[in-house]
Amino acid sequence: MSLKVYNTLTRKKEIFKPIKDKNVKMFVCGPTVYDYSHLGHAKTYIQFDIIARYFRFKNYKLFYLENITDIDDKIINRASKEKISWEKVRDTYEKCFLEDMKMLHVNSVDKYARATNYIDNIISQVKRLIEKGYAYKISDGWYFDLSKDEDYGKLAKRKDLKENDSVSRIDENKEKRNFGDFCLWKFSKPGEPVWKTDIGDGRPGWHIEDTAITEKEFGPQYDLHGGGIDLIFPHHEAEIAQMESISGKKPLVKYWFHTGFLNINKNKMSKSLGNFKTIRDLLKIYKPEVIRYLVISNHYRKPLDFSDDVLENAKNSYNRLKNICSELEEEGKINEKYIEEFEKEMDDDFNTPNALQVLWKLVRDKKASGKYKTIKKIDEVFGLKLLEKEEIAVPDDILEIVRLRDVARAKKDWKESDALREVLKKEGYAVDDTPEGTKVKLLDK
Ligand SMILES: [Zn+2]
């Protein structure tokens, strides 16, 4: 079966064929590390994690590269506000981001590339753009001249900004030749981070980080670039303009993937609306698998309408699925019929909501054999830890209540035994009376 993917560049579903054999070079725009990561990050990076896992499931040799924007106005502003160094801001929130990703089982990334480790490559790209006549200098830096690039707008199918586009203040300057011209190299003001170079002492623009990183790691052309839908314009358009102007090779990227918006109670998530949810806060209430389950239940290209109800529903469905799966014993061989059905859905532009329905059909199918091994295989893609037995450390005082309850049960004192069950419940534990004895579980989060 062949994998079909929706390519933003052509606005079509196409049969996926890497540039070289089964090798897939994939780059995804990473976070700007100036604050805790939020639900929007969780959505985007779980979605690309599943896409990456599925390439590996299909036996592609995938290399997944993600950048970390560690030099940016937002980082500099936070540092000056808190009177600490920008490196300290970067180190703090980069560490938090990587911890959050680990918690969410986003483990498919091969390399996280910090922009500031590629300054030489960035300067080399700016110099080549200057030599070829694409870059010009004004009071605060070097800019890309869009009038020199006839192709500009070919990804977004437009050349003008729209309301939901992600923009950076670094690209603003009234002296620019064309309104949309963007900054390649910004001269640093006193107190700002600075790299001393013969094109002026400064720091990189936003878009040039990515092309410098991908040129160094992948070369001038590669298979796949992903990111949130808000990055298509101007960010990804600018990447194409830079790299194709430098190399003369087209296209920079064969397939462009973009994930849909995240809405909270039908509104855009933003700090000013007070509906900003950090991954950390969510993980205090919900298991990471519940967040993954919610993301999987939605198609990556569609907007995800988030609300407490939606999350509660995901929690209940996940817990039901997990409970059924945790009772399964290993038997038989992988059920090829169900794997085929799963692949059929995933091959259709990573249709995870339908693929999840295949999984539900399998667990409910009383006649299906090899359930355990089949679920294990499917969960390599979903990362829901469906078959993992949760080992919990039960404190001694709880074990003592369980023992007293066992004594009450042995005496058929149901009133006492029920009262003790309630005590356990208040402490966050549940008990199952099984033929092998009493089992203690944590109440579902
Ligand atoms: Zn980017």
Side-chain angles (χ1 to χ4, degrees), residues 27-31 67 69 206-207 209-211 225-227 231 235-236 239:
F27 175 76
V28 172
C29 285
N67 71 311
T69 299
W206 174 25
H207 320 297
E209 284 178 25
D210 292 14
T211 48
H225 190 321
L231 296 179
H235 184 48
H236 292 159
E239 282 188 47

Side-chain angles (χ1 to χ4, degrees), residues 200-395:
D201 298 349
R203 58 191 173 97
W206 174 25
H207 320 297
I208 198 129
E209 284 178 25
D210 292 14
T211 48
I213 291 170
T214 56
E215 188 188 23
K216 167 89 191 298
E217 303 293 340
F218 291 161
Q221 292 180 294
Y222 58 98
D223 300 287
L224 212 170
H225 190 321
I229 196 169
D230 55 319
L231 296 179
I232 297 177
F233 194 89
H235 184 48
H236 292 159
E237 201 68 60
E239 282 188 47
I240 294 174
Q242 289 166 170
M243 197 63 233
E244 293 186 359
S245 302
I246 291 171
S247 72
K249 291 184 176 140
K250 294 174 189 187
L252 159 66
V253 172
K254 197 170 175 191
Y255 303 96
W256 287 87
F257 289 7
H258 291 99
T259 54
F261 281 113
L262 172 86
N263 297 316
I264 297 195
N265 298 319
K266 307 255 153 71
N267 290 307
K268 216 182 145 176
M269 182 176 68
S270 75
K271 282 185 182 165
S272 54
L273 285 173
N275 61 4
F276 192 81
K277 297 209 187 273
T278 66
I279 295 175
R280 275 161 197 241
D281 284 344
L282 276 175
L283 288 176
K284 280 179 199 152
I285 313 168
Y286 294 98
K287 288 181 198 166
E289 294 80 24
V290 170
I291 299 172
R292 283 187 82 96
Y293 188 95
L294 171 66
V295 171
I296 290 166
S297 329
N298 287 269
H299 193 272
Y300 78 93
R301 279 196 288 120
K302 294 215 173 103
L304 197 160
D305 286 312
F306 180 89
S307 65
D308 289 338
D309 283 352
V310 165
L311 196 51
E312 274 299 306
N313 286 340
K315 184 186 94 175
N316 293 334
S317 302
Y318 174 75
N319 286 343
R320 253 186 291 141
L321 185 63
K322 168 98 186 181
N323 280 341
I324 304 171
C325 292
S326 60
E327 303 286 307
L328 292 172
E329 298 293 333
E330 206 168 336
E331 51 76 37
K333 284 191 281 194
I334 285 188
N335 192 313
E336 293 298 340
K337 182 181 148 273
Y338 275 100
I339 291 290
E340 237 173 72
E341 269 192 58
F342 172 77
E343 270 190 72
K344 189 175 153 262
E345 298 300 346
M346 289 297 287
D347 277 350
D348 181 16
D349 193 30
F350 312 98
N351 195 330
T352 55
N354 283 7
L356 185 61
Q357 288 315 310
V358 174
L359 178 59
W360 268 107
K361 201 171 118 190
L362 168 65
V363 299
R364 286 175 175 143
D365 183 347
K366 292 203 170 67
K367 289 183 193 143
S369 66
K371 280 188 187 178
Y372 186 96
K373 283 186 180 141
T374 313
I375 292 167
K376 194 170 173 198
K377 183 84 188 145
I378 289 174
D379 209 24
E380 282 173 20
V381 179
F382 284 167
L384 293 171
K385 303 208 177 250
L386 291 169
L387 298 164
E388 250 173 54
K389 305 255 184 282
E390 280 164 80
E391 298 217 347
I392 55 161
V394 183

Side-chain angles (χ1 to χ4, degrees), residues 122-123 141-142 183-187 195 197 199-204:
I122 291 169
I123 294 166
W142 287 92
C183 183
L184 299 164
W185 186 253
K186 192 92 166 178
F187 302 139
W195 283 267
T197 75
I199 52 166
D201 298 349
R203 58 191 173 97

Side-chain angles (χ1 to χ4, degrees), residues 68-86:
I68 301 262
T69 299
D70 68 334
I71 182 79
D72 181 88
D73 283 359
K74 293 190 186 112
I75 299 173
I76 298 167
N77 292 345
R78 179 141 198 171
S80 79
K81 215 165 101 189
E82 294 185 7
K83 299 194 171 51
I84 50 175
S85 69
W86 66 273

